[in-house]
Structures are given as structure tokens and as C-alpha cells.
Amino acid sequence: MKAAGEFTSPPEDYNVIVPDGWFQLPLDADARDRAIMALAERTFRGVDNAPHLKKEFMQDLQRKAKEAYSVGGTELYLSTLSVGPVPLASSLLVSIPAADEWPQTSDTEELAEHLARRELVDGAELSVVELAAAGRAVRYRRRSNPVPEAQMGNTMPSTAVTYYVPIPATVRWLMLSFSTPLDPLADQMVKLFDTVAGTLHWS
């Protein structure tokens, strides 16, 4: 496994290790519908008389997948884990923004300053961190109010953690965008997100 600083030309790919129980939802239109149907069948297996909820669930996934694809999303993972009857709802979107969406730099300090001017909200945390193999990255944690109509009726604040990681030997960025609506468990979920981000490596 090569460290970020060892690349003299752009890497061919990236790899990130997610927990067992995180479902990978393809964002390509051809594969997306089959995967959404499979996840809906798994989620509602054994649940009687829930066709309306199942339909809403599938429509919500369709919307999320299309939105993710439109912003350069390459992979979307959704947690199917639970503790007892409590679903550990969370997601990870891996994306590569278009070249003209970010400053033409690979410097994390410079991007952090850019985000602080444009994106920082009250109570948010913005820092530059070191990932074991992927190198330096900008980490941005924030908490936002619920949007029930867009979150399957969720009424709790959601917590998001985004890692902005410079792709070696380029001025492009890879984004790992984590989110969870489990406000009482936010800190524990963020620890999991940080662990997953730490597995990112280039190949």
C-alpha cells in the first residue's frame, strides 16, 4: 500500500473499507433500480401490510441516488445495521467534484480556509487531519436541523462529517460524506465514520 506522498502520477483508484452491513448502492442508472429493489426487499422482509412505506422507501432512495450522481458521486453506502430494534441509520457518499467546483490546489490548509469562508456554520468543526495512508485531509463536522419531508419523516437533527482528500499528483479532491440522523448516538457514529475514513488508500 503506497502512501499519498509516494505517488508521482495520479493513482488509478481508491479503496475504502466499510463495515459489514453497509449496503453499496450503485449510482449508475442501469444498476440502481435493481439494487434499490433488493434493499427494499431486505429492509421490509417479514413486515406485513407495509406497501406504502416500502414505496416511500424506494422513492427516497431513488431521489438520494440521483442527487448523489448529479454531484459527482461514485459510490453510495447505506447502513442496514441495527442494535436490537434500533436501526443504526447512516450513509456514506464517495464523490469527486467537478474540477471547476474547487480552488485549483492540493493544499489542505488552503482548502480549509476556503471552506471556512464559504461553508462554516455555527457549532461546526473544521480541521486538517492526517489519514493513515491517504495523507492529509480537511475534516468538516456539522449538525443540521431535520427536514422530515426529505428524510422519511425523521424529526431529529442530523450529523454530517465530510472528509476532503486531495488526490495525489492532481488538484482534484475526493470527498467522503458521512451522515446520520441518530442525534443521541451522534458521537458514537462519528467515531465509526472517522474509522472508515482512516481506511482510505490509493492504488
Side-chain angles (χ1 to χ4, degrees), residues 82-153:
S82 61
V83 175
V86 180
L88 295 179
S90 58
S91 64
L92 163 61
L93 172 63
V94 184
S95 59
I96 301 176
D100 58 357
E101 290 187 24
W102 297 104
Q104 295 294 299
T105 180
S106 60
D107 185 272
T108 49
E109 298 287 352
E110 185 174 337
L111 184 67
E113 291 178 6
H114 172 79
L115 293 172
R117 291 193 300 270
R118 293 186 50 187
E119 307 283 344
L120 201 59
V121 298
D122 290 343
E125 302 170 7
L126 182 67
S127 60
V128 174
V129 298
E130 187 76 27
L131 300 178
R136 288 166 68 81
V138 180
R139 179 183 182 273
Y140 180 33
R141 175 179 175 175
R142 60 202 177 280
R143 185 171 180 261
S144 56
N145 293 325
V147 185
E149 62 274 15
Q151 296 176 307
M152 293 288 290

Side-chain angles (χ1 to χ4, degrees), residues 47-59:
V47 179
D48 296 327
N49 301 317
H52 180 66
L53 288 176
K54 185 176 178 180
K55 182 179 179 181
E56 282 190 349
F57 178 80
M58 294 175 67
Q59 289 174 338

Side-chain angles (χ1 to χ4, degrees), residues 135-182:
R136 288 166 68 81
V138 180
R139 179 183 182 273
Y140 180 33
R141 175 179 175 175
R142 60 202 177 280
R143 185 171 180 261
S144 56
N145 293 325
V147 185
E149 62 274 15
Q151 296 176 307
M152 293 288 290
N154 173 57
T155 57
M156 291 191 292
S158 60
T159 296
V161 180
T162 303
Y163 279 84
Y164 303 85
V165 190
I167 300 173
T170 75
V171 289
R172 302 291 299 277
W173 295 79
L174 181 77
M175 290 173 57
L176 304 178
S177 303
F178 300 91
S179 181
T180 180
L182 299 178

Side-chain angles (χ1 to χ4, degrees), residues 27 32-33 61-71:
L27 297 179
R32 183 174 60 216
D33 291 346
L61 289 184
Q62 282 277 6
R63 179 183 56 77
K64 288 178 178 176
K66 289 177 181 178
E67 287 177 356
Y69 188 73
S70 71
V71 295

Side-chain angles (χ1 to χ4, degrees), residues 14-89:
Y14 66 88
N15 296 278
V16 64
I17 300 171
V18 301
D20 290 339
W22 280 25
F23 184 91
Q24 183 178 3
L25 181 64
L27 297 179
D28 178 77
D30 292 336
R32 183 174 60 216
D33 291 346
R34 292 192 301 272
I36 288 174
M37 188 172 295
L39 181 55
E41 291 295 334
R42 177 192 299 187
T43 302
F44 289 90
R45 185 178 297 137
V47 179
D48 296 327
N49 301 317
H52 180 66
L53 288 176
K54 185 176 178 180
K55 182 179 179 181
E56 282 190 349
F57 178 80
M58 294 175 67
Q59 289 174 338
D60 184 59
L61 289 184
Q62 282 277 6
R63 179 183 56 77
K64 288 178 178 176
K66 289 177 181 178
E67 287 177 356
Y69 188 73
S70 71
V71 295
T74 60
E75 295 181 277
L76 177 62
Y77 294 91
L78 302 170
S79 172
T80 63
L81 299 171
S82 61
V83 175
V86 180
L88 295 179

